[in-house]
Amino acid sequence: MIRIDLHTHSTASDGIESPTELVQEASRRGISVLGLTDHDTVDGLAEATAAAAEAGLTLIPGIELSSDSDDAHEIHLLGYFIDPASESLAQRLQWLTRQRRLRIEQIVARLEDLGLPIDMEMVERYAPGGVMGRPHVARALIEIGAAETVRQAFDRYIGWGKPGYVPRARVEAEDAIATIRSAGGVPVLAHPFSTGNVTGVLERLIPAGLRGMEVWYGEYDDNQRAQLLHHADRYGMIPTGGSDWHGAGFREGRTLGSVPVPPSTVELLMDAAAEAAGGQ
Ligand code: AMP
Ligand code: ZN
Ligand code: FE
Ligand code: FE
């Protein structure tokens, strides 16, 4: 059985391993097709692709873009086979990276007001790629002893509704899909239960160009995966899967290579990407 994992993060965004370390770890775990889907950046893809060629595994270039719902829920979109050299993509990502930094500055200011001794320099040390996210703040909070785990840092301080929480700049899911399509990518709904309304979101986003949805997600159990596979079949979505690995100990369930993604997923994504390229 070939091992496939299509949802991972590196130090280019908020993962712990560099793209090379990630690919090497994937290779050690017997993964033959790996998708790198860093948040709002394609900066890790060149290094990952080179490391993959060296290790003899296939690297699918990807990205993960975040958008909002009307409540605590979020809609995340994965884009597969995006062209990292796309100029329109680069411009959009530059704006998103800037917004990420502004948000983290506000979060850090709130935490300072709460009396927690952290600052931007500490957070920057955890975000060498310059694309900042709350997991970097979580690591700084662990460093000062305000939390023991990333999860605890979210639960106490920076998760939705917690005292250090600041909403991100509003991005519509349709915009994220358009961004992915403009770079020749195949748009896929990530961890669909995070949306709070799987079928409603599918009905809204399929007309915008959504082509697939995650079914075999790291944190979901067999029952949840069966439900999602049923929806994918019903709506004609390519069923995909990935662990959402950010490195060891990030969060339960998000274990690299732990997801039973069938080889047909890769073929369907490749066909959809070829179709997207042909239609341009
Ligand atoms: P951000 O992009 O700054 O909004 O941070 C989102 C990242 O934090 C994603 O990788 C999420 O998977 C992760 N995340 C969100 N909520 C939690 C949580 N409660 N515990 C651990 N990680 C989380
Ligand atoms: Zn992340
Ligand atoms: Fe996500
Ligand atoms: Fe992710």
Side-chain angles (χ1 to χ4, degrees):
M1 183 61 189
I2 92 165
R3 248 191 203 193
I4 299 166
D5 193 328
L6 301 179
H7 188 162
T8 66
H9 297 270
S10 76
T11 47
S13 66
D14 57 6
I16 288 165
E17 296 160 344
S18 70
T20 300
E21 290 165 345
L22 168 66
V23 167
Q24 288 171 349
E25 185 58 39
S27 176
R28 269 195 293 278
R29 293 180 189 221
I31 291 171
S32 51
V33 184
L34 178 72
L36 176 58
T37 53
D38 274 310
H39 301 279
D40 298 343
T41 182
V42 293
D43 289 350
L45 293 176
E47 184 186 318
T49 304
E54 183 95 352
L57 58 80
T58 301
L59 194 282
I60 296 184
I63 196 161
E64 180 172 16
L65 302 177
S66 310
S67 72
D68 308 283
S69 252
D70 296 323
D71 47 29
H73 297 109
E74 292 189 12
I75 303 174
H76 290 188
L77 290 147
L78 299 161
Y80 290 112
F81 292 107
I82 43 153
D83 173 11
S86 159
E87 195 44 51
S88 62
L89 180 66
Q91 284 190 8
R92 185 67 184 154
L93 298 183
Q94 209 176 13
W95 183 83
L96 289 168
T97 301
R98 174 92 194 121
Q99 297 305 313
R100 275 187 172 274
R101 190 187 167 89
L102 293 172
R103 180 192 189 204
I104 297 301
E105 282 172 0
Q106 288 177 293
I107 289 173
V108 167
R110 283 198 176 214
L111 295 173
E112 283 174 327
D113 287 346
L114 289 170
L116 295 161
I118 75 164
D119 56 37
M120 282 302 286
E121 261 177 40
M122 285 178 68
V123 179
E124 277 164 358
R125 265 196 279 116
Y126 291 102
V131 178
M132 310 186 122
R134 285 178 291 164
H136 303 121
V137 178
R139 288 170 202 146
L141 287 169
I142 292 169
E143 184 185 324
I144 62 165
E148 275 167 32
T149 61
V150 170
R151 183 171 191 154
Q152 219 175 54
F154 273 84
D155 290 347
R156 285 185 186 163
Y157 299 112
I158 55 179
W160 189 86
K162 296 298 184 284
Y165 182 80
V166 175
R168 70 164 60 84
R170 176 111 193 159
V171 173
E172 298 299 333
E174 286 84 351
D175 289 343
I177 289 176
T179 300
I180 290 165
R181 294 179 80 192
S182 79
V186 182
V188 169
L189 179 64
H191 38 75
F193 289 121
S194 303
T195 66
N197 177 3
V198 180
T199 56
V201 166
L202 288 174
E203 280 166 22
R204 177 183 146 199
L205 297 184
I206 288 170
L210 188 72
R211 296 299 309 276
M213 59 187 275
E214 272 189 325
V215 165
W216 301 278
Y217 182 64
E219 288 190 35
Y220 295 163
D221 63 25
D222 287 346
N223 176 42
Q224 290 174 303
R225 291 172 183 180
Q227 273 182 54
L228 291 173
L229 187 57
H230 173 78
H231 290 315
D233 280 345
R234 199 151 69 88
Y235 286 92
M237 294 286 97
I238 299 169
T240 76
S243 61
D244 209 354
W245 169 256
H246 284 68
F250 183 77
R251 201 170 149 99
E252 247 169 87
R254 299 196 189 180
T255 305
L256 185 64
S258 65
V259 283
V261 183
S264 55
T265 287
V266 178
E267 284 157 31
L268 291 167
L269 287 174
M270 286 176 76
D271 290 348
E275 214 179 282
Q280 270 176 356

